[in-house]
Amino acid sequence: MLLFEAGARMQCRCSAGGNFYFTLVFSAIRCSRGLRSSSSFPLPYRDAALRRRLLLLLLVALLLDLVPAFTGQQHPGNRRGRRPEGKRPPGKHPEDTPQTSTQSSDASHRAIPRFIPPSRARSPREAAYLAVLAAERDQAFIADYLADWSRRKRPSSSEIGLATLVANVACREAASLDFAIEALAGAEDVRGGRRSVKLKGRQRAVLRTALAQYKYCTRMPLYAIVNDAVELAKEYGGGIAFASFTNALLRKLHPDPTSLDKKASEADNTRVHQGENFVHGGADGDIRPLPLPEGNSEKALATRLSYPPFLVKALVQEFGKSHAISIMKASNIFPPVMARSRIPEAKAPKLSGEAIEDKEEKGMGTEVHSAVDLSPEMAASSLSDSLKRGKASWETVESLPMALHAPLPLPYTLGVVHSDVLLQLLTQNDGWYITNGTPAGLLARLAQGAAKRVLADSAAEESRDPVLQVLDVCAAPGGKGLAVWDILQGQGRRVSLVMNDVNGAKKARIAENLARFGLSQEVQLTVGDGASLSKKDVANQTDSFVGSVIEQNGFDIVVLDVPCSNAGVLGRRPEARWRLKDGVFLKELETTQFSLLKHAEEELLSKTNRHAEIWYLTCSILWGEDEGMVEKACKELGLEVVVDAENEGRPLRMKVLPGEGLKGAFDGGFGCALRRKASPHM
């Protein structure tokens, strides 16, 4: 009876999830002491033989329980069959094989791997979730993760677009979506105030992607969103318990909020919680509303517009609150797809809206694309904007941001692509290049008249035809270098272009683009760190004639598109904003930017050509990376901003803010042309 009682107690402790090993060891120690001092045991246990048998039983039980830890066998008292951590049976593993409907839906007992490959995704929504999870863990950029998924699974463009749209929103609007999660959960502390819902990263990602679908995929019914989220919760979030929580939380959303009467909607959807108003905001029915904080305090703006408080404060200080709000709103919109022609005054593509509809109905539209034909960014833009019936397929950009205005027109045709079919045709045409309009516009202004400026002294020598030596230091994927080549080729001078980047993978990307446009033999490629690349390094990787000229004279133009905060392109790069949580990261970037400028001036820029220029470019709109860096370079490196004599003597220093230009099609960015200060004796 006593042995049965002891065994029952051990079994209860094991089943209750207690520390079984501690219990056994403690009992063994107590029994061993009891052998020496019978007074420490109750009366029934004072028999010496019984104490020895009990001690032996405990030691045997301990040994039996330790055996599975070394053999990987299931412990008989473990009904879920948990394996000791680090031990897996041979063959397929749960994280390598997607869970099917016939498998257990409770995933809480199996470890989720830190990195989940894109090949595991079985649907666009799962791909979006895994991309968000990888970005959250700093394992991959969303665009790269989804590009890998599209290469492996070859989904249709609509599926790529859905995955990209949901993943970008879930990452970009993380703060506002988290606020909505807290509000929907209705978590309150004992004092009636708000308390945060404790969720793991993989659980929060499930809810963010579900709310992103609800907000922007307005044609998707709520039950479908909930069902998808529940399946993801079972698979990745921890099992049935979290799946039930997910289901209950998402069922609080209105299935069709746009059908509510406006006054009733305002009355029903306004909540007061700990002194703050929760309002549901949308834009003319284009999105479904979610709870958001009201007011224009920096804290409310950081949550409602989903920005780190540090970045909100920096933008408000630099641009003022009203302008900063406009910039942040513009950066929360996925920019449209743009294309430029490679020759001046090219005719805009002609493809009527009726033709687009006909081709889509015949299977030439959204379902025709493969991963090679369409990037995730293009697909997302086409899903959210381009597939609206009755919209023109092409819109030529005639309204430029103020910074890009000049007496001369752009040296190419630039336009917004509104058709999935037209986009495919342009990607297959070597006369057009899919581009971001802002860097293309900045380079166009820097390059216009550059041959005349830079070769001013050499042009006077009739005995020789000078060649413009150009280096693009951080060239991948090749769009900037290609734009420079196209523009300078039209200025009557021969151009020798070298495109460089830091590793072989980026060099391969550049080579792929050059091959597509037939420039593999015209442009030379090198590999090297821009902060230490020397003229000799370039000479050793290029042909002997070009290398000897470069090693002796250096470059007439050095294009320096430096690593930056991406504060001007947050609509395209959703992860970028969350790196700006404090000033530490910015200071590191500014240090890198200055070192690149210093090395370009000291080592790469021609010392024999006093008109040689550095074209400094960023995708940022922050003063420290843009105007502040130029001021520092002028003060400490002896540089000056180049003046455009053909444009009323204006300095070649330009900043474009997000949301400018044709219907807000342009991102933010900065460009400036620098050269060494003229000697007072010259």
Side-chain angles (χ1 to χ4, degrees):
M1 184 67 184
L2 294 175
L3 294 177
F4 176 80
E5 180 184 349
R9 287 179 180 176
M10 289 188 293
Q11 179 66 22
C12 289
R13 287 187 181 115
C14 180
S15 301
N19 193 328
F20 185 50
Y21 300 120
F22 176 80
T23 303
L24 289 173
V25 173
F26 178 79
S27 301
I29 294 174
R30 188 177 180 187
C31 284
S32 66
R33 289 179 177 177
L35 293 176
R36 295 188 299 271
S37 174
S38 60
S39 61
S40 62
F41 270 59
L43 182 62
Y45 294 92
R46 289 180 183 176
D47 180 71
L50 183 60
R51 289 201 304 268
R52 292 190 188 95
R53 285 195 293 270
L54 179 59
L55 178 58
L56 180 61
L57 174 65
L58 293 174
L59 293 177
V60 170
L62 176 62
L63 291 174
L64 290 176
D65 199 73
L66 289 177
V67 167
F70 297 98
T71 63
Q73 298 174 0
Q74 177 178 328
H75 187 273
N78 189 346
R79 298 184 181 273
R80 288 194 177 187
R82 286 194 182 99
R83 288 184 299 273
E85 190 172 352
K87 295 289 182 180
R88 302 195 300 182
K92 293 185 177 180
H93 303 140
E95 61 268 34
D96 301 326
T97 306
Q99 184 178 4
T100 64
S101 58
T102 59
Q103 293 174 318
S104 171
S105 60
D106 189 354
S108 62
H109 64 281
R110 61 185 178 84
I112 300 296
R114 286 297 298 170
F115 178 77
I116 306 175
S119 58
R120 180 169 176 177
R122 296 157 294 179
S123 69
R125 297 167 185 84
E126 187 172 2
Y129 167 77
L130 294 179
V132 171
L133 199 61
E136 184 85 7
R137 295 170 172 175
D138 292 327
Q139 295 171 334
F141 292 114
I142 286 177
D144 294 338
Y145 192 95
L146 292 179
D148 189 9
W149 168 70
S150 64
R151 281 193 298 268
R152 293 171 180 267
K153 298 291 188 176
R154 301 189 69 81
S156 66
S157 66
S158 59
E159 290 175 325
I160 299 174
L162 175 62
T164 307
L165 181 67
V166 172
N168 275 267
V169 171
C171 181
R172 184 180 67 205
E173 302 185 18
S176 61
L177 295 176
D178 286 348
F179 184 91
I181 292 170
E182 305 282 345
L184 291 169
E188 297 183 0
D189 59 23
V190 292
R191 300 179 180 179
R194 288 183 61 203
R195 59 182 175 86
S196 78
V197 180
K198 294 182 179 180
L199 296 171
K200 296 180 180 179
R202 64 176 184 267
Q203 295 173 334
R204 197 170 290 275
V206 170
L207 297 176
R208 286 176 183 170
T209 52
L211 291 179
Q213 289 179 75
Y214 175 80
K215 183 176 181 179
Y216 286 95
C217 302
T218 54
R219 296 183 182 179
M220 187 178 296
L222 178 60
Y223 71 84
I225 296 172
V226 175
N227 289 343
D228 290 335
V230 168
E231 289 304 314
L232 288 175
K234 291 177 182 178
E235 179 75 12
Y236 301 102
I240 293 295
F242 178 65
S244 300
F245 172 80
T246 300
N247 181 70
L249 184 139
L250 296 179
R251 292 293 179 185
K252 294 182 180 181
L253 298 168
H254 195 284
D256 187 14
T258 57
S259 65
L260 295 174
D261 178 76
K262 184 175 181 180
K263 293 183 180 180
S265 177
E266 291 177 356
D268 294 340
N269 295 332
T270 301
R271 303 178 58 200
V272 179
H273 204 29
Q274 200 182 3
E276 290 183 286
N277 288 328
F278 296 113
V279 298
H280 288 265
D284 300 325
D286 290 336
I287 61 173
R288 287 166 167 152
L290 286 173
L292 294 172
E294 199 176 41
N296 283 337
S297 66
E298 289 185 4
K299 180 181 178 181
L301 289 174
T303 302
R304 187 170 70 250
L305 299 179
S306 204
Y307 283 81
F310 170 80
L311 183 55
V312 173
K313 184 176 182 179
L315 292 173
V316 169
Q317 288 179 346
E318 184 166 346
F319 299 101
K321 181 170 287 188
S322 177
H323 200 179
I325 292 174
S326 299
I327 290 172
M328 288 188 285
K329 286 182 176 179
S331 297
N332 279 347
I333 299 173
F334 205 99
V337 177
M338 302 182 76
R340 69 166 182 86
S341 66
R342 295 193 57 213
I343 59 174
E345 300 179 1
K347 292 183 179 180
K350 291 183 179 180
L351 189 61
S352 66
E354 293 77 9
I356 295 171
E357 293 187 13
D358 291 341
K359 291 190 176 185
E360 287 176 349
E361 290 173 0
K362 294 176 182 178
M364 298 177 64
T366 58
E367 303 301 325
V368 76
H369 291 295
S370 67
V372 177
D373 301 323
L374 197 65
S375 72
E377 292 85 352
M378 297 177 193
S381 182
S382 68
L383 180 74
S384 59
D385 184 52
S386 304
L387 300 181
K388 295 180 180 178
R389 299 293 186 185
K391 194 165 188 175
S393 60
W394 171 271
E395 196 169 2
T396 302
V397 173
E398 296 177 350
S399 174
L400 292 170
M402 288 300 299
L404 301 181
H405 278 291
L408 296 174
L410 288 175
Y412 48 71
T413 301
L414 182 68
V416 178
V417 184
H418 293 298
S419 162
D420 202 19
V421 176
L422 179 59
L423 184 58
Q424 184 188 19
L425 296 177
L426 292 176
T427 57
Q428 297 171 352
N429 188 331
D430 61 5
W432 293 85
Y433 189 81
I434 309 301
T435 185
N436 176 353
T438 298
L442 291 171
L443 281 170
R445 290 309 181 210
L446 294 174
Q448 281 183 316
K452 184 178 179 180
R453 291 196 315 265
V454 174
L455 299 177
D457 295 338
S458 301
E461 302 177 17
E462 299 180 359
S463 59
R464 55 189 286 253
D465 179 20
V467 177
L468 198 60
Q469 301 290 343
V470 182
L471 171 66
D472 187 355
V473 177
C474 308
K480 299 182 301 296
L482 183 64
V484 171
W485 173 271
D486 290 340
I487 298 170
L488 293 180
Q489 282 290 322
Q491 297 185 12
R493 298 289 181 182
R494 290 190 295 137
V495 179
S496 174
L497 174 62
V498 177
M499 298 174 74
N500 174 82
D501 220 304
V502 71
N503 58 47
K506 292 189 174 184
K507 179 182 176 181
R509 257 185 102 187
I510 301 170
E512 183 180 351
N513 265 329
L514 293 177
R516 181 189 157 206
F517 293 99
L519 295 177
S520 298
Q521 302 301 318
E522 305 290 339
V523 179
Q524 308 212 38
L525 304 181
T526 61
V527 175
D529 186 345
S532 59
L533 184 71
S534 66
K535 295 190 291 290
K536 185 174 182 180
D537 294 334
V538 176
N540 291 337
Q541 299 181 60
T542 54
D543 66 51
S544 57
F545 176 76
V546 173
S548 62
V549 174
I550 291 171
E551 189 171 6
Q552 182 178 357
N553 299 325
F555 292 93
D556 300 307
I557 297 174
V558 177
V559 181
L560 204 58
D561 185 12
V562 297
C564 66
S565 65
N566 293 313
V569 291
L570 298 180
R572 294 182 188 274
R573 301 175 185 175
E575 310 94 342
R577 68 185 66 196
W578 304 117
R579 295 197 293 263
L580 298 172
K581 295 181 179 180
D582 54 44
V584 176
F585 182 61
L586 270 180
K587 290 296 182 185
E588 293 175 353
L589 286 172
E590 290 170 10
T591 300
T592 300
Q593 291 158 2
F594 184 76
S595 66
L596 287 168
L597 267 170
K598 183 178 181 181
H599 183 73
E601 188 277 329
E602 292 178 348
E603 173 63 24
L604 302 174
L605 197 64
S606 173
K607 291 182 170 59
T608 60
N609 182 359
R610 63 189 181 92
H611 299 291
E613 296 179 0
I614 298 174
W615 294 354
Y616 177 77
L617 298 159
T618 76
C619 295
S620 176
I621 56 173
L622 300 178
W623 184 87
E625 298 180 277
D626 298 342
E627 296 93 342
M629 187 58 57
V630 169
E631 288 184 10
K632 183 177 181 179
C634 291
K635 180 179 180 181
E636 299 185 21
L637 302 180
L639 300 175
E640 64 181 3
V641 178
V642 177
V643 173
D644 187 0
E646 297 182 0
N647 190 11
E648 301 176 356
R650 294 180 181 177
L652 281 173
R653 182 179 59 225
M654 301 152 288
K655 174 177 280 190
V656 179
L657 297 178
E660 292 187 350
L662 174 67
K663 299 180 180 178
F666 284 80
D667 292 312
F670 177 81
C672 182
L674 297 164
R675 67 183 177 193
R676 295 188 182 95
K677 292 179 181 178
S679 171
H681 302 290
M682 297 181 66

